[in-house]
Amino acid sequence: MSVRASGPSRSDLVADTALALLAERGMRGLTHRAVDEAAALPQGSTSNLARTRQALLELAVRRLADREARVLALHEMPDPAAGTGSLADALALADALALAAHRALTNNRALTLARYELALEATRRPELRAFFDATGARFRDQLTALVAGMGSTDPARHTLSLIAWADGLMFSCVAGSFGADTPSLEEVRAGLRELLEGMLGR
């Protein structure tokens, strides 16, 4: 079996390289030629796969969603249908969310940085905005169901608060003024437990 056969597909290789370039060089550093060079591909390979810049960005967003799904590990989240609205349910959700956030802050720091680059670019490209938002719907919908199952009086608002808290923490520690202070898993868990207990009146 060849090395290429056992490795990532050409599409995944291009998308992974694009994400790495976004984290390292920012949006200006992402070009078709730069992807070819960084991925050690023949010149023109990226253009053949994603002819326009929009197509390249969409490819990166799709790959980002796939990789972040593994970071978030939705299968590790509590089962919305099994919720009893107890404190134990809230603590289980806090534990699962804390683990996902801590992964994003540590082993997947560059991926998190690439996500912020794409999110900002989406504010200037309406066609990318819709594509970017759609990729996050699965996690948002599952989290809303979990919060509702725990007895939230306003699941949509509480989901927004949870995501805003986690995003704020990750941005501050990856790209903001707390970049040198990565919190421990226990610290992230403590913050989420406080937030959830306050929301749900536990």
Side-chain angles (χ1 to χ4, degrees):
M1 183 186 299
S2 69
V3 173
R4 182 172 295 279
S6 62
S9 68
R10 176 67 63 92
S11 176
D12 286 349
L13 175 60
V14 167
D16 284 337
T17 304
L19 292 171
L21 287 170
L22 285 168
E24 179 185 345
R25 306 179 189 177
M27 193 58 65
R28 283 188 172 184
L30 178 64
T31 65
H32 289 74
R33 180 185 293 273
V35 173
D36 286 341
E37 291 175 354
L41 291 170
Q43 186 174 339
S45 296
T46 300
S47 292
N48 287 337
L49 188 65
R51 193 156 299 278
T52 65
R53 184 167 181 79
Q54 175 68 21
L56 180 58
L57 290 172
E58 288 181 3
L59 189 70
V61 169
R62 277 195 298 271
R63 185 61 170 164
L64 175 74
D66 290 342
R67 290 177 58 183
E68 284 201 324
R70 293 195 289 274
V71 174
L72 292 169
L74 295 180
H75 65 279
E76 295 177 357
M77 298 287 173
D79 181 358
T84 62
S86 67
L87 175 59
D89 288 339
L91 295 181
L93 178 56
D95 289 349
L97 290 173
L99 186 57
H102 195 255
R103 286 179 185 138
L105 288 169
T106 52
N107 296 338
N108 297 277
R109 193 180 185 92
L111 187 65
T112 303
L113 195 56
R115 175 159 68 92
Y116 291 131
E117 289 285 347
L118 287 166
L120 287 171
E121 184 68 9
T123 66
R124 297 179 283 270
R125 289 176 177 260
E127 65 279 18
L128 186 63
R129 175 86 270 161
F131 196 84
F132 185 89
D133 290 348
T135 63
R138 181 182 171 198
F139 173 70
R140 185 175 62 250
D141 292 346
Q142 182 166 335
L143 184 57
T144 302
L146 282 164
V147 171
M150 291 175 188
S152 167
T153 57
D154 193 342
R157 181 169 60 83
H158 287 160
T159 297
L160 173 60
S161 294
L162 278 169
I163 292 175
W165 186 93
D167 263 341
L169 175 74
M170 290 187 290
F171 184 87
S172 294
C173 295
V174 170
S177 57
F178 289 88
D181 303 307
T182 301
S184 68
L185 176 59
E186 284 302 321
E187 289 171 329
V188 178
R189 181 182 289 118
L192 280 162
R193 285 183 172 184
E194 289 167 355
L195 184 60
L196 275 167
E197 289 170 13
M199 283 178 179
L200 301 175
R202 302 288 184 259

